[in-house]
Amino acid sequence: AQSVTQLDSHVSVSEGTPVLLRCNYSSSYSPSLFWYVQHPNKGLQLLLKYTSAATLVKGINGFEAEFKKSETSFHLTKPSAHMSDAAEYFCVVSDHSVDSNYQLIWGAGTKLIIKP
Amino acid sequence: DAGVIQSPRHEVTEMGQEVTLRCKPISGHDYLFWYRQTMMRGLELLIYFNNNVPIDDSGMPEDRFSAKMPNASFSTLKIQPSEPRDSAVYFCASSLRGVGYEQYFGPGTRLTVT
């Protein structure tokens, strides 16, 4: 069965330091993977997506994620955190297996806190 | 494009009243989704439509909830009668390609039932 685990419910970093938000997944076949961001009192916005092309995916606002099949991971990173990055981030997996309907499985979310 | 539009942005109502939430998807997107987000349960998919037809409503909590999509540019989510436990943020999202692909979310409607 598909699942997605965001390993940290909260991550706190200082402004200007690197960001790492961890995501592990399980999937029967080759998955598509997404990161969404939700700023306080806002809707969800697509940050980036992996759909079996390049394993290193670049997204908006300087974020990127690397698909590692051997580790079943899709961690989100950014070299230097900015105050405006404070938000909740969701890792999402989609399974395209033949014998199951397409569906999106949402992680529980990671709240990113940026310290001045 | 204006993105997904939802109205109202905030709704406060009393228990027992009917509530109608509205959504306009991105033009050309054939898939429309309704989600509910709460602190306790996170983000839950309630129902989705393809070409105005409801495909999967297994996430609808109970018969008090109903959703319609009379045309490609408009959908409603109705709660009748509303209860305090329905208080949540309700999101509408649309997608060009389908359930397993990227979705574009509206700003949400924050519903408070007193």
Side-chain angles (χ1 to χ4, degrees):
Chain A
Q2 308 163 57
S3 67
V4 57
T5 303
Q6 292 185 241
L7 296 159
D8 306 292
S9 60
H10 294 79
V11 169
S12 180
V13 302
S14 297
E15 189 176 20
T17 64
V19 175
L20 170 64
L21 305 183
R22 297 182 295 166
C23 174
N24 286 101
Y25 69 92
S26 67
S27 177
S28 304
Y29 287 80
S30 297
S32 292
L33 293 153
F34 309 84
W35 277 99
Y36 284 82
V37 60
Q38 184 178 27
H39 287 93
N41 300 313
K42 301 285 187 184
L44 292 97
Q45 181 183 18
L46 180 67
L47 260 186
L48 51 79
K49 63 180 179 182
Y50 166 78
T51 53
S52 75
T55 56
L56 183 62
V57 182
K58 294 188 184 299
I60 61 173
N61 301 333
F63 283 93
E64 60 183 38
E66 186 171 8
F67 173 69
K68 291 187 176 180
K69 188 173 182 178
S70 60
E71 299 176 10
T72 61
S73 69
F74 190 57
H75 300 335
L76 182 69
T77 60
K78 182 173 181 177
S80 176
H82 191 272
M83 294 301 292
S84 62
D85 295 327
E88 188 158 19
Y89 293 78
F90 294 89
C91 181
V92 185
V93 63
S94 169
D95 198 329
H96 295 258
S97 61
V98 174
D99 58 353
S100 69
N101 295 322
Y102 292 167
Q103 56 180 321
L104 288 185
I105 306 297
W106 291 76
T110 298
K111 283 196 174 154
L112 178 61
I113 300 160
I114 311 296
K115 296 178 290 187
Chain B
D1 198 311
V4 176
I5 299 171
Q6 291 186 249
S7 64
R9 294 292 310 276
H10 301 272
E11 177 80 39
V12 180
T13 190
E14 291 184 348
M15 183 174 62
Q17 296 298 306
E18 178 179 295
V19 175
T20 300
L21 311 181
R22 297 172 177 79
C23 175
K24 176 180 168 55
I26 293 173
S27 177
H29 283 195
D30 293 333
Y31 290 82
L32 182 140
F33 307 84
W34 282 101
Y35 288 88
R36 178 172 68 177
Q37 186 178 40
T38 61
M39 290 290 290
M40 292 295 293
R41 301 172 70 94
L43 194 67
E44 303 173 277
L45 176 64
L46 300 177
I47 185 172
Y48 79 90
F49 295 82
N50 178 25
N51 291 323
N52 314 336
V53 177
I55 303 300
D56 184 356
D57 65 355
S58 59
M60 297 284 262
E62 48 199 274
D63 292 345
R64 297 185 297 106
F65 285 69
S66 62
K68 294 182 180 179
M69 193 164 186
N71 58 62
S73 60
F74 183 67
S75 176
T76 59
L77 178 68
K78 187 176 293 186
I79 308 172
Q80 165 64 18
S82 58
E83 296 182 3
R85 59 194 169 116
D86 302 330
S87 297
V89 181
Y90 291 81
F91 289 104
C92 176
S94 69
S95 175
L96 179 63
R97 298 178 64 190
V99 179
Y101 299 88
E102 59 268 34
Q103 298 178 13
Y104 297 86
F105 284 77
T109 295
R110 183 174 295 277
L111 174 65
T112 303
V113 183
T114 60

